[in-house]
Amino acid sequence: MRSKLAISIRNLTKKFGEFTAVDNLNLEIKSGEFFSMLGPSGSGKTTVLRMIAGFELPTNGEIFLYDEEVTTKAPFDRDVNTVFQDYALFPHLNVVENVEYGLRVRKVGKAERRIRAMAALEKVHLADFSERKPSQLSGGQRQRVALARAIVVQPKILLLDEPLGALDLKLREKMQIELKELQRELGITFIFVTHDQDEALTLSDRIAIFNNGKIEQIGTPQDLYQRPATEFVARFVGTANVFDGEAAQALFGTSSKVMIRPEQVELGSKGSQATIVETIYLGSTFRFILDLNGHQIIAEVSASDDQAKTYRRGATVKVNMSKTDLVKLD
Amino acid sequence: MTKNSAVAGEDFPSTPARRISSYLYKNAKVRLRLLIAAPVFWLGLVYIAALVMLLITAFWTVDEFTGNTKVNWNIDNIVSLFTDPLYTKVTLRTIGIALAVTVVDILLALPIAFFMSKVAGPKLRNILAISVLLPLWASYLVKAYAWRSVLSNTGVLEWILKPLGLQTPGYSLFGAAITLGYMWLPYVILPIYGGLEKVPSNLLEASSDLGAKTFTTVRKVIFPIILPSIIAGSIFAFSLTLGDYITINIVGGPNQMLGNLIYTNVGTANNLPMAAALALIPIGIMFAYLGAVKRTGALNNL
């Protein structure tokens, strides 16, 4: 696919009274991308999504969808569709009528809209439930109906506002795979809002990390994990050992703020002596919380490592952190 | 007895209260019947018995000489409801006014309720809710007389309308309809507001997101969901207008509605059986109305 811009956001600001929810934001999303907006609650990611959909009007700035300015256009005049966090299914309509809704308001004929709605339900594996009312469905099924309802009108861009937030872990993981497959199959741009970093890492081509109404960093999941630009990103995506000032000076002889991931901390053969403060078994790995001359360090070792199995709380162990694994933070 | 005795394996003492409690606990049906006995007794005595007496009285007559009610079974009163032109005319007029009041109240209530529920902030919403409720706390008579003053030839309405080349409707059926519309408006706003409160805002967003313009959203999403609430409100406005006899006397001029016709028969005319027969008309109309509403299926989602 040609790398055309699906969305271009320029100097976008949104204020609710005194509170600045989105602060002078710039963002470009390529056509066909699976793009995630990741951040803690209140970081402005949902507000940005709602402004792209047209539910909120920006205080300042511009939004372009495929080079067409839509900043102040109503939602029904925008070629985007939204999958809502709590599904927002119409309670008085059954499943297939819900899915047909967008076609009905576009005056698509009765026969055709039924065929297209059933095809969309087929895609989300819900064809057998077409006559049920939303109240008779489980959370995961409602989620699929919401998805079918949004894709049946063939938007160029699909906005997903924490769509899996209300599902339990197993179902969430299953839906993540289905979402990814659906996006590949449809070839349209997905913009996905989440506060779950695992979900964002699993699904996305690129991720924007939100904090206090600004974007801290945009990059591929690998970029963000391996080369976080700020301490916030380092800590929000995965687990990080961040050293600053005195600690950085003492451990690595540098005056800048640095980070190292727990799995890059080597235990055992060489390095300085540290005390094991806590051991945590995580299934595939052991996590050790260590005390190295008063500095806390988190290390992670594969659970199949025979030596790691012998480490006990209170014991001492040699810790080595290679300078080449250090990442300098802003 | 200490709190720990049950844990220690001791039995609770078998008091009568405890035995009754455990009997009721085991016998759900008995429990339910005891619970509902008092209200059923009350309803049966006060409500249904009174209605049955009314129905029976309609088949009696008045002794023209003594003025006392006579047990003399006949259906003359019922027949005259359908044959006497005065009764048919007043019935049709009352239905007409009730329908007009209901429709106007719904049309007024919808935007007010929508604004309260979906647009206003919490503070403004409270102010509006109190403004809607406030008239309900004032006496019905006071409100009727207030409208008598508003509608009078020297009243506020005349003063406002005169520069526009119009004049007050005065004490007339129209004046009565306006007053009744005012009286029942809160009873229509409140259920519709309650219904709208149950429509999450994101349904409106979803509809708009899927391409529906505002009017389509109102027609295809909001309206079907709040239809039972609108009907609940309409039942209030319609039935209260059917039965009203004070407003029409105070601001209706010489005109009659079913309510004051009944009132006249009870009082001045001293014809209780005829009054009872007339009272069956609004009851019959309400039954027909509820039956029609039920057939639309709008009550299924209540």
Side-chain angles (χ1 to χ4, degrees):
Chain A
M1 183 168 288
R2 213 153 56 90
S3 75
K4 207 174 153 189
L5 284 183
I7 291 183
S8 171
I9 287 172
R10 293 176 201 162
N11 307 108
L12 193 68
T13 297
K14 177 70 183 178
K15 288 183 182 168
F16 295 104
E18 291 293 293
F19 176 68
T20 305
V22 176
D23 191 2
N24 200 23
L25 192 109
N26 288 286
L27 177 62
E28 289 184 338
I29 298 171
K30 292 187 214 98
S31 186
E33 240 184 337
F34 199 125
F35 190 89
S36 288
M37 304 203 271
L38 174 66
S41 55
S43 59
K45 56 196 192 305
T46 294
T47 307
V48 171
L49 194 84
R50 290 175 58 80
M51 285 193 279
I52 296 173
F55 304 139
E56 307 275 0
L57 294 181
T59 311
N60 246 320
E62 290 148 355
I63 301 170
F64 292 83
L65 303 183
Y66 286 97
D67 298 330
E68 179 202 0
E69 197 192 336
V70 298
T71 314
T72 56
K73 277 193 177 172
F76 48 77
D77 282 331
R78 302 183 185 206
D79 205 2
V80 296
N81 284 102
T82 309
V83 176
F84 291 84
Q85 182 170 14
D86 38 12
Y87 323 133
L89 300 179
F90 304 122
H92 60 298
L93 303 178
N94 69 23
V95 166
V96 70
E97 286 166 346
N98 259 286
V99 178
E100 278 180 344
Y101 187 85
L103 301 171
R104 206 167 106 205
V105 301
R106 282 171 175 74
K107 309 258 185 281
V108 175
K110 210 169 181 177
E112 190 196 333
R113 73 177 187 233
R114 186 52 60 108
I115 292 168
R116 284 172 61 181
M118 287 309 289
L121 282 173
E122 205 82 57
K123 275 204 181 80
V124 297
H125 316 295
L126 266 188
D128 293 341
F129 295 84
S130 62
E131 300 297 321
R132 296 226 192 150
K133 282 279 173 77
S135 57
Q136 297 169 306
L137 300 178
S138 70
Q141 290 167 333
R142 285 179 209 187
Q143 186 54 66
R144 288 157 198 262
V145 178
L147 206 54
R149 186 178 67 175
I151 60 173
V152 76
V153 292
Q154 299 171 331
K156 288 185 202 142
I157 299 165
L158 189 68
L159 308 176
L160 303 106
D161 183 10
E162 308 228 9
L164 311 181
L167 305 180
D168 63 64
L169 184 64
K170 277 277 165 251
L171 193 56
R172 200 153 73 216
E173 286 172 349
K174 188 163 171 253
M175 284 299 291
Q176 284 171 6
I177 297 167
E178 285 189 24
L179 268 183
K180 186 87 184 163
E181 281 171 356
L182 190 69
Q183 193 257 346
R184 244 182 239 126
E185 190 187 326
L186 297 172
I188 63 175
T189 313
F190 273 38
I191 300 176
F192 189 91
V193 162
T194 181
H195 64 263
D196 182 330
Q197 47 126 335
D198 286 331
E199 199 163 276
L201 292 177
T202 310
L203 290 170
S204 320
D205 296 320
R206 285 196 310 152
I207 302 171
I209 308 282
F210 277 70
N211 186 27
N212 290 331
K214 289 182 188 265
I215 293 177
E216 291 264 331
Q217 190 176 1
I218 301 180
T220 64
Q222 288 92 330
D223 284 344
L224 296 174
Y225 190 80
Q226 292 166 3
R227 287 183 299 280
T230 64
E231 179 174 353
F232 181 82
V233 175
R235 290 194 187 281
F236 201 78
V237 180
T239 309
N241 295 298
V242 178
F243 303 102
D244 202 358
E246 198 197 332
Q249 196 61 254
L251 293 171
F252 306 104
T254 170
S255 56
S256 34
K257 194 189 269 187
V258 290
M259 180 226 62
I260 186 164
R261 294 290 181 194
E263 66 274 16
Q264 287 161 333
V265 177
E266 293 165 26
L267 299 185
S269 50
K270 53 183 180 177
S272 344
Q273 288 283 345
T275 316
I276 301 177
V277 180
E278 195 65 77
T279 73
I280 301 161
Y281 178 60
L282 294 173
S284 57
T285 57
F286 281 109
R287 177 175 293 177
F288 299 103
I289 297 171
L290 309 164
D291 180 18
L292 178 62
N293 302 332
H295 306 294
Q296 181 186 289
I297 294 163
I298 300 169
E300 228 166 274
V301 181
S302 167
S304 55
D305 185 318
D306 285 332
Q307 208 178 355
K309 289 175 193 164
T310 66
Y311 297 150
R312 295 283 175 267
R313 197 160 62 90
T316 53
V317 65
K318 277 185 176 166
V319 175
N320 181 44
M321 290 181 280
S322 160
K323 268 194 175 172
T324 56
D325 290 330
L326 283 184
V327 178
K328 228 176 96 183
L329 301 176
D330 284 341
Chain B
M1 166 151 298
T2 65
K3 239 182 158 183
N4 288 330
S5 60
V7 180
E10 278 176 46
D11 284 334
F12 287 107
S14 177
T15 61
R18 181 169 294 279
R19 280 199 298 275
I20 293 170
S21 288
S22 39
Y23 173 78
L24 288 177
Y25 181 79
K26 278 181 254 174
N27 296 279
K29 271 189 184 161
V30 178
R31 200 170 49 191
L32 219 60
R33 278 175 196 153
L34 281 175
L35 182 71
I36 211 158
V40 164
F41 178 73
W42 178 253
L43 269 180
L45 192 76
V46 172
Y47 206 74
I48 306 204
L51 271 178
V52 169
M53 275 309 293
L54 177 76
L55 187 72
I56 291 172
T57 314
F59 296 94
W60 295 349
T61 46
V62 171
D63 187 319
E64 276 171 33
F65 186 64
T66 61
N68 288 334
T69 305
K70 239 177 17 183
V71 181
N72 170 26
W73 297 95
N74 69 89
I75 56 161
D76 293 354
N77 289 331
I78 309 289
V79 171
S80 69
L81 292 183
F82 296 97
T83 52
D84 190 323
L86 171 71
Y87 297 149
T88 49
K89 203 173 126 192
V90 171
T91 301
L92 288 177
R93 175 193 294 157
T94 307
I95 293 175
I97 292 174
L99 281 177
V101 167
T102 306
V103 169
V104 169
D105 272 356
I106 290 172
L107 291 180
L108 289 174
L110 281 172
I112 296 173
F114 185 83
F115 185 86
M116 278 169 69
S117 167
K118 298 286 173 246
V119 184
K123 210 171 171 186
L124 185 56
R125 179 182 314 158
N126 283 343
I127 293 171
L128 285 170
I130 290 172
S131 314
V132 168
L133 286 170
L134 208 56
L136 293 180
W137 299 337
S139 156
Y140 177 94
L141 270 179
V142 169
K143 284 183 285 184
Y145 275 107
W147 272 95
R148 190 177 165 88
S149 139
V150 168
L151 290 164
S152 87
N153 287 333
T154 53
V156 180
L157 211 54
E158 179 74 11
W159 180 70
I160 294 171
L161 291 175
K162 201 157 191 182
L164 307 170
L166 301 166
Q167 61 183 121
T168 171
Y171 306 143
S172 60
L173 283 179
F174 188 50
I178 294 176
T179 309
L180 288 168
Y182 162 81
M183 295 276 190
W184 314 141
L185 189 58
Y187 297 100
V188 185
I189 293 177
L190 291 177
I192 294 179
Y193 170 70
L196 280 167
E197 278 292 279
K198 284 188 270 174
V199 182
S201 299
N202 66 9
L203 288 189
L204 314 186
E205 288 178 356
S207 174
S208 178
D209 188 66
L210 290 162
K213 303 203 168 47
T214 312
F215 184 66
T216 313
T217 301
V218 170
R219 209 157 41 90
K220 291 193 169 156
V221 178
I222 300 179
F223 187 74
I225 297 177
I226 66 165
L227 187 58
S229 311
I230 294 175
I231 287 171
S234 79
I235 290 171
F236 280 121
F238 192 72
S239 67
L240 289 170
T241 307
L242 279 186
D244 179 81
Y245 69 102
I246 297 177
T247 300
I248 186 74
N249 271 342
I250 295 175
V251 296
N255 295 297
Q256 291 196 304
M257 281 170 65
L258 275 175
N260 62 336
L261 206 54
I262 295 168
Y263 181 69
T264 313
N265 269 296
V266 175
T268 328
N270 188 30
N271 190 345
L272 196 60
M274 193 62 228
L278 282 166
L280 292 176
I281 299 177
I283 296 176
I285 294 171
M286 278 319 292
F287 267 106
Y289 183 63
L290 289 175
V293 164
K294 193 171 187 304
R295 281 187 64 162
T296 64
L299 298 179
N300 296 350
N301 296 325
L302 272 183

